[in-house]
Amino acid sequence: MFAGFDWDVIQRSLPYLFKEGMTFTLTLTAASTLGAGFAFSVANTGTGTITIDPNASETINGSIAYTMPGNTTAVFLCTGLSWVTMSGSPFANVT
């Protein structure tokens, strides 16, 4: 899909599905801009690593970034001040 490029997550973002083997970064818009309750999902079905990078000093689960290795999925939920993951598990046999 559009792997190999850095992407910005904005309010109109749809779920992301990445099947490529490249490593790249998804940059999050400020949590205060997206608002509490905004959520998006990412499925990394490739072999590369996706880094989810919050805005400025914001965090995901208390960390400054969230790294997704290949064959993992995650749902990200905005609290209005930071981010939490609602899931993040490996999956098998994705075609």
Side-chain angles (χ1 to χ4, degrees), residues 49-83:
T49 299
I50 300 173
T51 300
I52 312 300
D53 184 20
N55 184 269
S57 62
E58 294 172 357
T59 61
I60 300 173
N61 297 338
S63 298
I64 60 169
Y66 187 90
T67 303
M68 293 181 64
N71 295 319
T72 58
T73 62
V75 177
F76 298 86
L77 177 64
C78 180
T79 68
L81 299 173
S82 64
W83 296 85

Side-chain angles (χ1 to χ4, degrees), residues 8-16 38-40:
D8 293 332
V9 174
I10 59 173
Q11 278 185 314
R12 295 177 304 272
S13 294
L14 299 173
Y16 291 98
F38 175 82
F40 70 98

